[in-house]
Amino acid sequence: MIVEPLVLHHDTKTTLPGLREALTALPAAPPAITFAEYTALTASERSLYDEARDDYLRLTLRVPTPEQDLSTRIPAKHIVSNPRRKNSRRGLMVSAPMFYGKTELALLLARSVEHDHARKFPGYADEGEVPVVWAEVTENATGKTLLSQVVRFLAPTVAPPTRINTDDLRSKAVELLHRHRTKLLIIDEAHNLGGSEPSSVIKALQNESSTTVVLVGIDLAGGKAFGSGTGLQVTMRCDQVELRSVDIRTEEGLSLWRRWVAIFDRNLPLCEHNPGTLTRNAAALHAAANGRLSVLAMIVERLVASILDDPERTSEKVTRERLFAVLDGLRQTTRIRHKVQIDDLVEAA
């Protein structure tokens, strides 16, 4: 069995090589083997196989959500219509509290636009086309800071003059967005933008380029950057998608949560895994995750890691004891304070 290790060369999505690496880092599930076959591997082969399983779980295994479908459709329409608009070009706001998977959703949007552009223009990269630009702003970032990120992303070897003013920097950013045929500008952590200047810069980018702007952050429509004053000019030009926890008291919510758990359960990269324990404990997992998909994904990752990290294991079966150990560790090492006890969990039928 040959397993090629995944090698990542870039730490950040705020560069073109880093973003494209993040968009393509989707390793396939490693071949399924029995636990006896696994133990027969050499130590280095087992290590590579475990790394491949971990990479698949963290980077590739995902579940479909209603917000994904909605958020993908909205920019796709704006990308078509914005170049034909002379003003009031439309954007998108993706808003949610912390730890709700906002950045993961933004990455999915970026991947969708990049792949669609590659399908239509196979030689786009050689032509210097950059369909997606990714910016990530820090606390109290200014509009000038944002523009500098856009310029560095598209022209990393060109250093703007140190005393360049905001208007000239905006003109440079707009010129580069046009030149590289950028369709989507994602601004992650957009709640960190403060004051009227950033919102006026974003409005100007919408006015002067046909790039569709996607703002991602916490409580964007009600926050300091876009909840009042001039920031409302940006808010009113954006469709809004809010990520929420799933309420299993409704039939729709219960069905959705069970479907998510079942997808994870069916695809756990464990030797001789028999789905069932996760699915039967969907309600307990909802209580532990408070209905948040990102926390459910973290629980699954920790469960698999706890099994793979046990050198004395004689099987990789998911048991209620193993599951509870992860849930108990969750409240010990995070701010999540769920009340799930081991007696609340059951084994697979």
Side-chain angles (χ1 to χ4, degrees):
M1 180 181 65
I2 299 176
V3 176
E4 293 292 336
L6 176 69
V7 180
L8 301 179
H9 301 281
H10 306 280
D11 295 326
T12 176
K13 298 183 289 294
T14 56
T15 67
L16 179 57
L19 177 62
R20 286 187 171 162
E21 184 176 74
L23 298 180
T24 56
L26 295 170
I33 59 176
T34 66
F35 190 70
E37 290 171 328
Y38 173 80
T39 56
L41 298 174
T42 65
S44 61
E45 288 172 335
R46 286 197 300 271
S47 178
L48 275 178
Y49 187 68
D50 289 347
E51 286 181 11
R53 293 195 279 179
D54 182 63
D55 290 338
Y56 165 73
L57 186 62
R58 289 185 301 103
L59 299 173
T60 306
L61 181 55
R62 295 292 182 269
V63 299
T65 71
E67 293 85 1
Q68 288 174 7
D69 294 338
L70 180 60
S71 299
T72 302
R73 288 198 305 269
I74 291 171
K77 291 180 180 179
H78 293 340
I79 286 170
V80 173
S81 64
N82 276 340
R84 305 201 306 271
R85 293 175 178 264
K86 292 302 180 184
N87 52 37
S88 298
R89 293 189 172 103
R90 303 291 299 172
L92 172 66
M93 282 184 171
V94 177
S95 186
M98 290 186 294
F99 221 62
Y100 272 67
K102 299 181 295 297
T103 299
E104 186 65 39
L105 177 57
L107 193 61
L108 182 144
L109 298 181
R111 186 178 292 115
S112 175
V113 172
E114 186 92 8
H115 287 183
D116 182 69
H117 191 81
R119 179 178 57 81
K120 294 175 180 176
F121 308 101
Y124 76 104
D126 294 335
E127 297 295 327
E129 296 175 7
V130 183
V132 182
V133 170
W134 188 290
E136 187 169 313
V137 294
T138 55
E139 189 173 5
N140 295 320
T142 65
K144 193 172 183 179
T145 304
L146 173 61
L147 292 170
S148 296
Q149 275 206 49
V150 173
V151 171
R152 284 198 304 271
F153 191 102
L154 293 169
T157 61
V158 178
T162 55
R163 296 186 178 275
I164 189 171
N165 62 45
T166 301
D167 287 342
D168 290 340
L169 192 60
R170 187 186 74 243
S171 296
K172 182 65 175 176
V174 170
E175 175 198 342
L176 289 168
L177 291 169
H178 279 298
R179 184 192 307 170
H180 293 280
R181 296 184 65 189
T182 300
K183 294 179 174 179
L184 194 71
L185 168 59
I186 293 178
I187 304 172
D188 198 11
E189 305 294 333
H191 55 272
N192 285 323
L193 295 167
S196 61
E197 186 215 20
S199 58
S200 64
V201 164
I202 292 170
K203 179 186 173 186
L205 287 175
Q206 290 177 308
N207 285 340
E208 298 170 20
S209 79
S210 58
T211 302
T212 296
V213 176
V214 175
L215 300 162
V216 183
I218 299 171
D219 189 27
L220 294 182
K224 62 181 180 180
F226 307 105
S228 61
T230 56
L232 287 174
Q233 296 182 85
V234 175
T235 300
M236 297 305 293
R237 292 176 178 213
C238 289
D239 292 278
Q240 296 178 33
V241 172
E242 185 173 353
L243 306 185
R244 298 181 176 90
S245 58
V246 175
D247 184 357
I248 61 173
R249 293 173 297 181
T250 68
E251 183 176 342
E252 181 182 14
L254 179 60
S255 175
L256 180 63
W257 184 262
R258 284 177 172 169
R259 184 160 66 248
W260 287 349
V261 174
I263 290 173
F264 280 122
D265 201 1
R266 287 196 305 269
N267 292 281
L268 288 186
L270 296 170
C271 293
E272 301 175 338
H273 171 63
N274 292 315
T277 297
L278 290 186
T279 303
R280 290 196 67 195
N281 289 289
L285 288 168
H286 182 274
N290 195 25
R292 288 175 284 178
L293 176 58
S294 59
V295 180
L296 174 62
M298 183 176 70
I299 290 170
V300 172
E301 288 179 18
R302 290 190 177 191
L303 173 64
V304 171
S306 70
I307 294 173
L308 300 187
D309 291 344
D310 178 9
E312 304 299 324
R313 68 188 185 276
T314 56
S315 81
E316 294 185 351
K317 180 182 178 182
V318 176
T319 63
R320 72 170 190 151
E321 287 78 17
R322 281 173 165 166
L323 179 56
F324 178 72
V326 171
L327 298 183
D328 192 45
L330 186 71
R331 59 186 165 206
Q332 302 298 328
T333 59
T334 71
R335 297 183 65 180
I336 299 170
R337 296 292 180 262
H338 64 82
K339 298 180 180 180
V340 177
Q341 301 298 321
I342 190 168
D343 290 340
D344 299 325
L345 304 178
V346 294
E347 297 280 9

